Amino acid sequence: MTLDAEARAILAGNDRGGYTVPTAGLYPYQWNWDSVFAAIGFAEHDRARAWAEIETLFSGQWPNGMVPHILFHKVDPSYFPGPDVWGGIGPVPSSGISQPPIAATFIRCLFEQDRALGAAHLRGLIPRLRDWHRWFLQWRGEGGAICVSHPWETGRDNTPDWDAPFAAIEPVGVEEYRRRDTSHVVEDERPRAYDYDRYLYLVKLGRESGWDEAHIKAVSPFRVADPTMTFTLLRANRDLLALSREAGEPTDEIERWIAEIEAGAEQLWNPDIGAYDCLDIRTGQHSGVISNASFLPWYAGLRDDRMLAHFTRIRGLTRFSVPSTDPAHPAYEPRRYWRGPVWAMMNMLIAMGLDEAGHGDLAADLRQNTAELIATGGFAEYFDPRDGSPAGGRNFTWTAAVWLAWASPTTEKSTCPASS
Ligand code: GLC
């Protein structure tokens, strides 16, 4: 079977009818940003199915605008923590936190691929996107830098960015629990028990408040401004602005958000290491970690090449790029989830940005490198940067999707438009 055919078979195999699971067993539900990648994968051969994926995701939107990070459409005991632990309060059983808002950006791609088909879908989705983005500014905004209330919200669950804020958390009152992830994947490739205790402590805090954002913002020990959220939301607002103009929808509010985040993103610049990283709002401390998310300012549409030297330095350190943590950082672990491995979907976002910022050569190199990575390690969840060996889950939806939409040599060019 060719890799293209294999990728399509993975999407079909993970399709649960209107939504796609990231991979059977380890992640048996609908995840927010995974679904957006799934949609652009489907769009290569089935555009109607791509729109359905997005619409199922937004069917779980909460009345306050939040679009959850997991929708538990059908209870499956192979995953923990499930719907009862989260106690989500939306129309579909769900988690109580969100995930990086890349939907507007890729909805725009779908629209550009087929405007006639897209127009009908846009009408319903634009107000939903606006409500979701407004929720971020209202509850996660700190002077235009976008925070998270839980590490899982960034999609970079156990990055060393959380090590300092986590050290200050005493996870008291967490009931006994049994993890399921380590029965699917070897422990060395997953977060430690220490991290899980703190993840569950923060879930409990949210659930017990009835997911009252004002309360969580006031009392949670964990409030960290993050490059994934800040840069994806900035980019998403630019794309939402373009879509809103197209559809004759209001734009003033969106223009204000863009200006606010453009200015606020500078708070994530850490002069000590000359790089973007995380900022702990509770302590005012930067994390001091250069992660793959540090390379998203180009994707955000910022005219800012200050990360270029780090990019070329890190690109030269391992055979496969971009490692999720700088290999020169003492916390780097090449096989442990977000503490070192390469994630193909992050590479796609980084390369989209590089391309649009006039660094087409670097974008092409990263695409080629990602294609080699997938040819070497298969459609894994993530990969060891040293040799491309697979890690985490297998038959993974977003790796298959970014192969089809971007990395595959048969994909002529990315179908995604520039952010201007
Ligand atoms: C992990 C990842 C997150 C992803 C989810 C499902 O939690 O860190 O980014 O969305 O798995 O694949």
Side-chain angles (χ1 to χ4, degrees):
M1 212 186 331
T2 64
L3 287 172
D4 285 6
E6 209 182 308
R8 279 193 287 270
I10 288 170
L11 289 186
N14 290 338
D15 187 350
R16 295 292 177 272
Y19 73 95
T20 311
V21 298
T23 185
L26 182 62
Y27 303 122
Y29 296 113
Q30 182 174 23
W31 262 258
N32 188 319
W33 69 334
D34 298 66
S35 259
V36 178
F37 285 111
I40 58 161
F42 280 123
E44 296 300 305
H45 52 281
D46 186 348
R47 296 209 171 110
R49 180 62 189 77
W51 284 106
E53 185 81 26
I54 302 280
E55 274 153 0
T56 308
L57 174 64
F58 278 89
S59 74
Q61 185 166 33
W62 286 16
N64 66 3
M66 198 273 280
V67 183
H69 103 291
I70 310 174
L71 297 180
F72 302 108
H73 295 289
K74 263 186 268 155
V75 175
D76 186 324
S78 66
Y79 181 82
F80 175 85
D84 46 328
V85 181
W86 283 100
I89 52 170
V92 173
S94 73
S95 68
I97 57 171
S98 199
Q99 245 188 347
I102 60 167
T105 298
F106 292 99
I107 285 173
R108 185 173 173 205
C109 298
L110 296 181
F111 174 70
E112 295 295 349
Q113 288 171 8
D114 184 341
R115 290 179 149 235
L117 174 67
H121 295 281
L122 270 194
R123 208 167 317 122
L125 285 168
I126 287 177
R128 285 178 172 273
L129 287 166
R130 219 168 37 225
D131 289 350
W132 186 26
H133 291 191
R134 189 183 302 112
W135 176 88
F136 274 112
L137 271 298
Q138 182 174 5
W139 297 116
R140 300 287 187 264
E142 290 282 348
I146 307 301
C147 301
V148 289
S149 64
H150 193 293
W152 289 345
E153 204 156 47
T154 62
R156 303 186 301 121
D157 303 13
N158 68 333
T159 159
D161 285 302
W162 322 133
D163 290 0
F166 264 22
I169 295 178
E170 196 46 61
V172 285
V174 172
E175 295 97 29
E176 230 179 273
Y177 62 93
R178 188 165 72 83
R179 286 172 67 170
R180 305 285 196 283
D181 58 321
T182 42
S183 58
H184 302 286
V185 172
V186 293
E187 273 182 40
D188 291 354
E189 296 175 10
R190 295 288 307 175
R192 298 160 301 175
Y194 168 94
D195 298 309
Y196 252 80
D197 289 347
R198 285 157 182 79
Y199 299 148
L200 290 166
Y201 174 80
L202 294 173
V203 170
K204 184 171 146 80
L205 190 153
R207 183 192 64 233
E208 286 178 354
S209 78
W211 298 104
D212 174 345
E213 291 296 346
H215 175 81
I216 296 167
K217 183 174 171 180
V219 309
S220 175
F222 190 87
R223 188 166 175 84
V224 182
D226 166 73
T228 330
M229 301 320 257
T230 305
F231 294 136
T232 59
L233 186 62
L234 178 51
R235 168 64 185 258
N237 278 323
R238 297 188 201 281
D239 291 308
L240 180 57
L241 179 65
L243 291 172
S244 301
R245 284 196 180 124
E246 191 70 49
E249 290 272 343
T251 57
D252 289 6
E253 190 180 25
I254 305 169
E255 284 167 28
R256 277 203 307 280
W257 296 337
I258 292 170
E260 193 177 327
I261 305 173
E262 275 180 346
E266 191 57 24
Q267 295 177 68
L268 299 179
W269 183 258
N270 178 351
D272 295 342
I273 58 169
Y276 287 105
D277 66 4
C278 287
L279 175 69
D280 186 334
I281 298 297
R282 298 294 180 234
T283 63
Q285 298 295 309
H286 280 274
S287 64
V289 180
I290 300 175
S291 68
N292 47 359
S294 302
F295 298 112
L296 293 175
W298 295 295
Y299 172 86
L302 293 176
R303 286 174 208 275
D304 178 355
D305 275 344
R306 288 178 293 174
M307 288 305 297
L308 208 50
H310 285 300
F311 184 81
T312 48
R313 173 180 64 80
I314 289 177
R315 176 72 188 87
L317 291 179
T318 53
R319 183 170 156 213
F320 294 104
S321 250
V322 177
S324 41
T325 297
D326 181 352
H329 192 283
Y332 171 70
E333 290 181 79
R335 294 192 71 80
R336 199 186 284 281
Y337 215 34
W338 289 93
R339 301 178 77 89
V342 175
W343 294 73
M345 33 49 93
M346 290 296 285
N347 284 2
M348 179 179 171
L349 303 183
I350 294 167
M352 276 171 70
L354 282 168
D355 212 13
E356 291 163 3
H359 303 298
D361 48 341
L362 297 178
D365 169 70
L366 187 55
R367 178 180 168 210
Q368 168 73 28
N369 190 243
T370 308
E372 268 171 49
L373 174 70
I374 294 173
T376 304
F379 293 97
E381 184 180 8
Y382 45 94
F383 303 85
D384 189 322
R386 297 168 299 184
D387 59 3
S389 56
R394 304 297 143 91
N395 298 319
F396 220 84
T397 291
W398 63 21
T399 309
V402 305
W403 172 266
L404 291 170
W406 170 64
S408 168
T410 65
T411 304
E412 297 262 306
K413 68 176 192 56
S414 174
T415 34
C416 293
S419 65
S420 55

